[in-house]
Amino acid sequence: MLGSSMSIKDDAERQELEEELTPVNSASDPFYVLILGSDARESDSGSRSDVIMLARVDPSVGSVSLVSIPRDTMVTINGRTQKINAAYAHGGSAMAVRAVSEFAGVPISHFVSVHFEELEEIVDMLGGVWVDVPESFSAGNGGMSFEAGNQLLNGQQALAYARERYHVSGGDFGRAQAQRQIVEAVIRQVLASSPVELPGLIGQLANCITTDLSVTDIVGYAQEFLGKELTVYSAICPSYTLNQDGVSYVATMFNEWKRMMQLVDAGLDPNDATAEIPSEQADNADLGAASNSPAPRDYEDLAANAMTTDDVAAVE
């Protein structure tokens, strides 16, 4: 029943998605997951993905790398320059997977979609989540004020925090960081449960998502992580704001993105400026190539005069 409730209902869409996904050879092999979230309320129309994260999961060592891709990132879709979140609206989960896979230069093995309206339910189900809020800000888009510091957020607070972009440093880039914090906090809360509670808890969470994974798959991966010290890396595609032909986009810093994806693929900290890239990743020309991006390749001066992902308040 749970497998049915979280599966993609449309047979054609499910088949198209399966054709885009790359199977994992072994349960212990690292793999990539595309996580999409929608901030649409019930009264809203449209189905653009407001949250786009690429996760690299390595069950063998207990590590997860969460990389946000700004929703307004400039890419080419169906021969036209568009924002990357339009891929889901135009072609559903399959086109979203294809767009992110081309942009990041990695094969994607699984797909997960979660609605923001269900975020409250997930967090409250877990008894709240601990989040280190990097800066104080007054009530904005989410309708709540927050003081800086590590704190336990209930579902309503977590949703407001994950939605805020007008009163935080870095705007939408700051909101993407908050979203990664919430995802990490949920992961940690789930894995902190006992092995006896885990299947039932994941069964409850399954009601809040749409995915190609089965409940058995999810429980299996979670059990691979049990007993290991969880490592979660968090990053965002190095980007800057760009106005082109009257449209506001997010453009990519290509050199920095390439290095970040090399580190992610190697299972290293994507923010480590001193890390040495292993030869396997250094020789992989696809990693971070952003082959579907029409953004300016000569971007240094443009980024110097724009809001960038470096403007986000740092989490200690």
Side-chain angles (χ1 to χ4, degrees), residues 74-135:
M74 179 189 289
V75 294
T76 300
I77 300 173
N78 292 335
R80 295 174 50 219
T81 297
Q82 301 191 57
K83 298 176 180 182
I84 198 168
N85 71 339
Y88 186 67
H90 291 318
S93 53
M95 186 171 286
V97 166
R98 187 184 312 136
V100 173
S101 179
E102 290 177 7
F103 184 73
V106 296
I108 294 175
S109 299
H110 295 297
F111 168 84
V112 177
S113 174
V114 59
H115 297 288
F116 265 49
E117 289 298 330
E118 293 162 344
L119 180 64
E120 284 191 55
E121 180 184 345
I122 292 173
V123 173
D124 286 335
M125 191 185 301
L126 293 169
V129 291
W130 285 94
V131 174
D132 188 2
V133 178
E135 60 183 337

Side-chain angles (χ1 to χ4, degrees), residues 151-179:
Q151 53 206 275
L152 182 67
L153 304 183
N154 63 27
Q156 187 179 14
Q157 292 169 323
L159 179 60
Y161 180 60
R163 276 181 170 156
E164 185 55 54
R165 62 187 174 112
Y166 296 113
H167 292 68
V168 295
S169 300
D172 212 25
F173 300 147
R175 177 167 69 167
Q177 174 176 264
Q179 293 161 352

Side-chain angles (χ1 to χ4, degrees), residues 200-245:
L201 181 58
I202 290 176
Q204 290 178 294
L205 294 172
N207 288 312
C208 305
I209 65 173
T210 301
T211 180
D212 67 291
L213 288 158
S214 68
V215 174
T216 303
D217 292 333
I218 298 172
V219 171
Y221 284 131
Q223 288 176 334
E224 282 281 336
F225 275 83
L226 291 178
K228 299 183 175 75
E229 184 175 349
L230 176 65
T231 300
V232 179
Y233 296 121
S234 175
I236 184 170
C237 172
S239 309
Y240 63 97
T241 55
L242 176 69
N243 190 289
Q244 181 170 292
D245 300 326

